[in-house]
Amino acid sequence: GPLEEMSLPLFFGWFLLSSVQDKVRCTSMDFLKTLDTLEAFKKHLSDFTGKAEKEVDLEQYFQAKGTLHCTTKFCDYGKAPGAKEYAQNTAVKEFYGSAFELSLSALFVTPRTVGARVSLTEEQLLLWPADPEEEAGSTSLPRGSRAHITLGCAEHVEPVQTGLDLLEILTLQQEGQQGEPIEEMELGSLTYYGEGRWLLTLREPICTPACFSSFYG
Ligand code: A2P
């Protein structure tokens, strides 16, 4: 019945404390602001606009959605494959409501999404579901590769896209594509991977407290 369907959340994940959400949002905004002004970015502007001469304000281009979090398992109230198994996992039950420290190691931007890559620890990987990388068709990337925080989506783009965009960049790296080194920024080194894919590898990872919990919506 409907009550049983409600007993599983929309998704499980790590939820950033509200005070650090603002800090992460500011960092991401600053990055977008700077990226916007770079000659290298302007050169590839058509990736974003479809027309070379048009301008784009990246801060307007991406819309922020809800509270910042790193999804572990998308359950869709139990309709997603493996949702029930995940919810019954020992680690999931044991760590539910616990505080963690997430390490954000990179920021990435594509014409569809902007996000932060999350580098999971061994303990955090205990809460990572079996197959989110494979579900996305990336069979050879290490577990946890998809871990990320969605910071914004372009119009008509769903947040699920952010993890797929990250996997795309990581797959290129794994295939040996170095990308085009653009410049050393204050936050780290910026690389272009073609087709509007930008990766900023942070010099110092951003560490942020986050609570492992679930969202019902
Ligand atoms: P993400 O984790 O990249 O931010 P929605 O609002 O679209 O229902 O999504 C709720 C959350 O679940 C979002 O955080 C979203 O993406 C994530 N999500 C949605 N669909 C999927 C999916 N099929 N696989 C993994 N995560 C998903």
Side-chain angles (χ1 to χ4, degrees):
L3 255 184
E4 271 167 355
E5 276 167 36
M6 271 306 286
S7 66
L8 283 178
L10 182 59
F11 63 89
F12 285 89
W14 289 283
F15 295 80
L16 273 60
L17 298 194
S18 58
S19 55
V20 291
Q21 286 194 39
D22 293 341
K23 191 185 155 239
V24 173
R25 280 212 179 88
C26 281
T27 306
S28 138
M29 283 298 186
D30 284 347
F31 170 51
L32 291 181
K33 226 182 272 178
T34 311
L35 184 61
D36 234 351
T37 63
L38 297 181
E39 281 311 314
F41 182 78
K42 288 180 185 160
K43 198 173 107 191
H44 298 289
L45 202 60
S46 60
D47 296 337
F48 284 79
T49 61
K51 290 198 205 91
E53 63 281 345
K54 254 177 78 183
E55 294 214 345
V56 63
D57 179 348
L58 287 180
E59 285 175 280
Q60 305 281 315
Y61 184 89
F62 294 111
Q63 282 136 37
K65 290 183 183 171
T67 59
L68 295 187
H69 64 272
C70 173
T71 303
T72 53
K73 177 69 184 174
F74 181 71
C75 292
D76 199 12
Y77 308 112
K79 282 177 274 178
K84 206 170 163 205
E85 292 75 7
Y86 180 83
Q88 287 167 349
N89 180 295
T90 321
V92 170
K93 285 195 277 192
E94 183 186 338
F95 288 120
Y96 195 82
S98 302
F100 287 81
E101 182 124 302
L102 292 185
S103 171
L104 316 189
S105 54
L107 300 178
F108 56 94
V109 174
T110 76
R112 299 164 296 278
T113 64
V114 51
R117 183 180 188 192
V118 179
S119 296
L120 300 176
T121 63
E122 286 299 318
E123 187 186 54
Q124 290 162 357
L125 278 170
L126 295 174
L127 295 169
W128 197 246
D131 50 9
E133 286 81 21
E134 282 148 45
E135 266 171 29
S138 305
T139 46
S140 55
L141 288 170
R143 285 188 70 236
S145 295
R146 189 172 172 170
H148 68 279
I149 294 167
T150 297
L151 297 168
C153 295
E155 221 181 339
H156 309 306
V157 174
E158 294 297 323
V160 64
Q161 186 61 44
T162 318
L164 306 179
D165 284 357
L166 173 60
L167 288 175
E168 209 177 277
I169 294 172
L170 298 180
T171 301
L172 291 174
Q173 285 181 340
Q174 203 194 30
E175 287 168 352
Q177 285 202 40
Q178 310 285 306
E180 182 188 335
I182 301 296
E183 67 175 61
E184 289 301 318
M185 299 171 73
E186 209 176 301
L187 285 171
S189 45
L190 180 69
T191 310
Y192 180 61
Y193 285 91
E195 296 174 25
R197 294 168 295 201
W198 299 85
L199 180 75
L200 177 73
T201 306
L202 297 175
R203 204 180 312 283
E204 296 280 341
I206 301 171
C207 287
T208 151
C211 176
F212 178 68
S213 181
S214 62
F215 181 84
Y216 282 82

